[in-house]
Amino acid sequence: MAKAFAPIVITANDLVEGDSVFLGPEGWTRDIRMARVARTAEEATALDASGAQGETQNLVVGPYRVEVSLETGAPVPVLRREQIRASGVPTIPVGPAAIEAAREAA
Amino acid sequence: MQLIDLTGRAQDRWAHVGDEDPIPAEGPVIVPAARLFEVAEGRETGIHVGNDTDPEDLVPLFDRLQLVSVAFPSFADGRGFSIGRKLRALGFDGTLRASGPVIADQFAYLIACGFDEVCIPDALAERQPPEQWEAARRLISAGYQRGLGAGRSILDARTGR
Amino acid sequence: MYRYDEFDHRFVQERVAEFRSQVTRRLDGSLNENEFKPLRLMNGLYLQLHAYMLRVAIPYGTLDSARMRMLAHIAEKWDRGYGHFTTRQNIQFNWPKLSDVPDILDALASVEMHAIQTSGNCIRNTTSDPYAGVAADEVEDPRITAELIRQWSSLHPEFTFLGRKFKIAVTGSAEDRTALKVHDIGIQIVRNTAGETGYRVLVGGGLGRTPMIAKELRAFLPREDLLPYLEAALRVYNLHGRRDNKYKARIKILVHEIGIEEYARQVEAEFAALDRDAIAAPVEEVARIAAYFAPPKLAARPAESTAFERARQVDPGFAAWASQNTFPHRVPGYVAATISLKPIGGAPGDATAEQMRAMADLAEKYSRDELRVTHEQNVVLPHVALDDLHSVYRGLAGVGLDAPNKGLVTDIVACPGLDYCALATARSIPVAQNIARRFGSTARQKEIGPLSIKISGCINACGHHHVGHIGILGLDKAGVESYQITLGGDATETAALGDRTGPGFGYDEVADVIEKLVDRYIELREVPQETFLQTYRRVGMEPFKEAIYATH
């Protein structure tokens, strides 16, 4: 039996702002929970085409597929890299918040 | 392909002859270096060379050549800049052409390295019309390097040379 | 310190206008991403995991207070209130918008700064010794040469689309504080037997996936030949370096494949054919630059300072900091003070806008308005009178920059890793933080002595792990972060690449493993003065391997 197709979403970076964005039902969204999920190879190919269009229209840069799990309903990336990317921030406090955290700890 | 030089969009009066094409009976031709022997001496002749060419190998041909076209397989492959500069240093005084998908933002560098013109794919010329090339070329009025063909170096301007 | 003249100002302003035009043409589609990417990289602009990242050049690591304050301003106005100082003496901002970058570059130009060639396949920011003009063993201030190279390499028409990036470092001292031997070209200012000043030129060093130590290309190059010789060296690389494989495109691979003798032969042949006088910098120009780097006129002071001695006795925190974070100055009564950007639990190399302003204020008041960035991701105040050192320390303590750990186990170099970087395969910053917390006690750090830990979050080695006494390389093993350890690396004049201990460790194990290595070193060292590196060189890998792999 062929291996089951792992669901995917399409991500890219916004051309102007640089943020991670995901292909949603109505254009690109910053919230992966709003992303369109492809559950079959055919659906994924169709999403690829929409993603590529975003690039030719100079909206986004470098669209690619991200494998997601749907266990909790909303799509969650499988790989740590994509989890961090979808979260939009580093895994640790940074900048002034980090200094504040260190002061409180001390 | 579209030809752009310092005057803007230019008419390409040279016939481009590939590896297999027949050589036209008359008029200026650019042939692959290996086919130079097929072109009668005395005719207006150019050769097209790859960017792995050793410029010194071309020195014996300089008398016969009115044009050298250097291949830029990609704008990111900058070997042709060194080839152009070396050809000029070795004494080539004919037309130097950069052929391939170079971009407007490289025009000033190409001119500085001794090139006279670029021959670019049509689709690229459509996105980047001659006005963009002209504008991009003029954005930086002087560079620091000395010993380049075009323009005055900042170092020379400072010392009044 | 170098100041722009009308030509430099115009050049940088035109460069900003050029980038503004490139951004406009990118947004209207005249330039596609494939074409725009190398152009934005050549202006320091990356697209990272979460956002664009702008790397600003700090030529040879030298700053004044106005420039540092501008960096703080940029951090607040266009970023998220902080920046990250890098191993190549630059600073990067992690959250700018593409549409704001031309304005950021304008702001930088107003204080004589830019982001030219901080990335891309071109000649990068020329780095140098953070103790330039301070160190007693210096033949000449290396920044004169570095500034000459900065100008020559800026938008060099022939060398702006090289096969790969090209990094040059310059030092004026035999004791190397620039990681000279892991640069594409390393330049050491030397004096020959006739007493003339010139250059020893090294080539082909680099880290990344194929780390190599540089080899000597020229034992002595007359100083007037510098630029023609660099043109010859770059031209041979540009024409003959590999273009078929990105990972084999650095000059180190060319030099390795054809051999240093053959590479040197080709460079010398090219050099002999050049019109040197047409290319070399005029002597007046070199003299003009040199005048900017004349040693500051520091008022004579007694070598001992009673204010300093008194402060040391009443303030033990200051005493610890002063003994660890200072470097001898050639002028009696002064020191160069290192501001550690490695507070325990912080992100190595990060500074907030508030901290940048505090550093700027201290530099203005106590260090002849000068600051230096080091390749260890710290900042140096180069000219501090001993009498003022306690005031400097208190100023730093007020903003959390008083860590007394320069060169110690918690002075960790780390790349941004998977928390920021699109290329990373594992996290680096939290690993550094875990290790730093483990060794947080100042007394324990002091007992361990000099120990450099360097962490990279992928094989590209931005964290210089190959040349850490202990190197840590984060990889991805089937979706799980795995950390390889190397021992015995050295970035100085006795440069060496670290040896791998063996299989990697999980994210949660790294701090334990480092502690075991350190404990084993303490057991093994013959005298407390024997450093980790010396012990490793004496006893080799086996006892360390046993410490971390043996099942007890």
Side-chain angles (χ1 to χ4, degrees), chain A residues 8-94:
Chain A
I8 58 112
V9 300
I10 301 289
T11 187
N13 287 82
D14 183 84
L15 173 62
V16 176
E17 311 244 309
D19 314 15
S20 309
V21 289
F22 300 88
L23 187 61
E26 285 155 34
W28 297 85
T29 165
R30 274 142 183 85
D31 186 350
I32 192 173
R33 290 170 302 179
M34 307 298 285
R36 280 167 67 187
V37 180
R39 291 175 173 80
T40 67
E42 293 72 31
E43 285 176 15
T45 308
L47 279 194
D48 284 342
S50 305
Q53 214 177 10
E55 187 156 61
T56 51
Q57 291 170 342
N58 300 310
L59 297 173
V60 299
V61 178
Y64 66 95
R65 296 178 179 190
V66 171
E67 203 177 306
V68 291
S69 143
L70 299 170
E71 274 171 36
T72 58
V76 175
V78 172
L79 293 179
R80 177 186 299 280
R81 176 187 195 275
E82 297 305 330
Q83 289 165 4
I84 295 174
R85 193 167 169 282
S87 78
V89 288
T91 62
I92 34 148
V94 292

Side-chain angles (χ1 to χ4, degrees), chain C residues 12 26 60 76 78 106 142 161 163 176 178 193 198 230 241 249 271 299-300 315 333 362 367 382 398 435 443-444 485:
Chain C
V12 170
R26 173 68 188 100
Y60 32 90
E76 276 175 350
W78 289 290
D106 264 333
F161 293 86
D176 177 22
T178 64
T193 47
L230 287 176
F271 178 60
D315 184 345
L362 292 170
S367 180
I435 296 169
R444 186 169 181 205
I485 311 287

Side-chain angles (χ1 to χ4, degrees), chain C residues 255-418:
Chain C
V255 172
H256 179 71
E257 287 183 351
I258 68 175
I260 182 67
E261 294 77 15
E262 174 58 17
Y263 175 73
R265 189 193 65 72
Q266 292 184 19
V267 171
E268 295 295 338
E270 196 65 52
F271 178 60
L274 288 176
D275 182 353
R276 293 181 208 177
D277 291 341
I279 296 167
V283 287
E284 310 95 281
E285 173 62 6
V286 180
R288 186 188 73 89
I289 294 174
Y292 286 109
F293 295 103
K297 291 188 180 62
L298 299 172
R301 286 172 184 269
E304 308 265 305
S305 154
T306 46
F308 170 69
E309 294 304 333
R310 202 174 322 121
R312 272 210 314 186
Q313 275 162 22
V314 300
D315 184 345
F318 170 62
W321 180 83
S323 77
Q324 195 59 41
N325 287 33
T326 56
F327 180 87
H329 200 290
R330 62 171 75 142
V331 179
Y334 291 82
V335 290
T338 294
I339 303 170
S340 167
L341 299 184
K342 318 293 175 60
I344 304 301
D350 276 13
T352 63
E354 180 200 15
Q355 291 175 327
M356 289 181 213
R357 290 203 180 93
M359 291 191 277
D361 292 347
L362 292 170
E364 191 171 41
K365 199 159 177 198
Y366 300 115
S367 180
R368 293 300 171 124
D369 204 23
E370 258 199 73
L371 304 116
R372 313 283 176 78
V373 182
T374 79
H375 76 81
E376 285 100 3
Q377 303 179 287
N378 291 318
V379 172
V380 167
L381 298 172
H383 311 294
V384 180
L386 276 176
D387 288 348
D388 296 330
L389 200 58
H390 194 222
S391 303
V392 168
Y393 170 75
R394 280 185 308 198
L396 293 172
V399 289
L401 289 178
D402 56 341
N405 60 354
K406 187 199 121 191
L408 298 179
V409 60
T410 59
D411 185 5
I412 299 170
V413 169
C415 72
L418 195 50

Side-chain angles (χ1 to χ4, degrees), chain C residues 94-120:
Chain C
N94 294 299
W95 310 95
K97 294 181 187 1
L98 175 61
S99 47
D100 286 338
V101 173
D103 293 341
I104 299 175
L105 296 177
D106 264 333
L108 287 169
S110 74
V111 291
E112 307 177 10
M113 294 184 83
H114 59 70
I116 297 170
Q117 287 163 218
T118 52
S119 177

Side-chain angles (χ1 to χ4, degrees), chain B residues 85, chain C residues 152 156 159 227-235 274 279:
Chain B
R85 206 166 166 208
Chain C
W152 165 79
H156 194 300
F159 305 128
L227 299 184
Y229 196 78
L230 287 176
E231 294 224 347
L234 265 293
R235 182 173 296 168
L274 288 176
I279 296 167

